[in-house]
């Protein structure tokens, strides 16, 4: 069996290539006893990689059918990010700036709505920036919040969409526009460091107008 999984995870490969299987079929493929197969599957189920459903057909005891979960499927190569980047680059080359802007504005709007929902209970600018930094941290930006005098710094040590931003610089402006929308009209936002500009991070200074 040619796969890159450890012996105790071969059931994942079998379920991917054969589809959902009953325990007896998996035990035969794994060349182990039914109890041995059940032990492996329960371990994988505890890790969230496989799941069992009960199937009844005619007379006799219902069968447990094992299949992969979304997490199990994620163990296999996924090139959707490469495809999305290629599509984005080709769109930026073929669409007019106006039409490209409409596409990206729709993306910005959904992000803005998500952030506004998360910040709806924040009462002042400091709490908004703090919550925004937490959101960006969860999204992979390695974000930090710092207070500097009467201003606040939103620091992003990593840009998980750097390849997309390099292909389409509008993403950087879109990011700053979204920050302005969710922090409110009384917030002044200045980008003082920028990864595409050669700095190691992106930093925004935010203060009351």
């Amino acid at each position: 069996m040619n796969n890159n999984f450890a012996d105790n995870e071969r059931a994942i490969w079998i379920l991917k290539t054969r589809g959902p299987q009953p325990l007896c079929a998996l035990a035969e493929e794994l060349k182990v006893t039914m109890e041995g197969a059940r032990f492996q599957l329960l371990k994988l189920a505890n890790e969230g990689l496989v799941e069992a459903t009960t199937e009844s057909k005619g007379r006799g005891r219902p069968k447990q059918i094992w299949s992969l979960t979304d997490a199990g499927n994620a163990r296999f190569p996924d090139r959707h990010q490469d495809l999305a980047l290629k599509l984005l680059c080709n769109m930026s080359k073929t669409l007019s700036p106006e039409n490209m802007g409409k596409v990206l504005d729709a993306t910005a709007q959904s992000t803005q709505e998500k952030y506004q929902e998360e910040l709806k209970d924040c009462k002042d600018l400091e709490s908004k920036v703090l919550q925004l930094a937490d959101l960006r941290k969860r999204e992979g930006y390695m974000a930090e919040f710092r207070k500097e005098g009467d201003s606040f710094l939103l620091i992003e040590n990593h840009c998980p969409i750097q390849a997309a931003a390099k292909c389409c610089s509008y993403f950087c402006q879109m990011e700053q526009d979204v920050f302005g929308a969710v922090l409110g009209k009384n917030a002044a936002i200045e980008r003082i460091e920028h990864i595409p500009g050669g700095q190691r991070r992106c930093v925004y200074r935010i203060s009351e107008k």
Side-chain angles (χ1 to χ4, degrees), residues 81 136 139-142 156 158-164 175 195:
Q81 291 182 334
R136 300 290 281 183
E139 291 177 353
Y141 288 85
M142 297 177 66
E156 297 182 341
H158 175 65
C159 180
I161 62 164
Q162 187 171 355
E175 179 180 73
I195 292 173

Side-chain angles (χ1 to χ4, degrees), residues 8 97 103 156 167 184-185:
N8 63 346
V103 173
E156 297 182 341
C167 174
K185 60 183 180 180

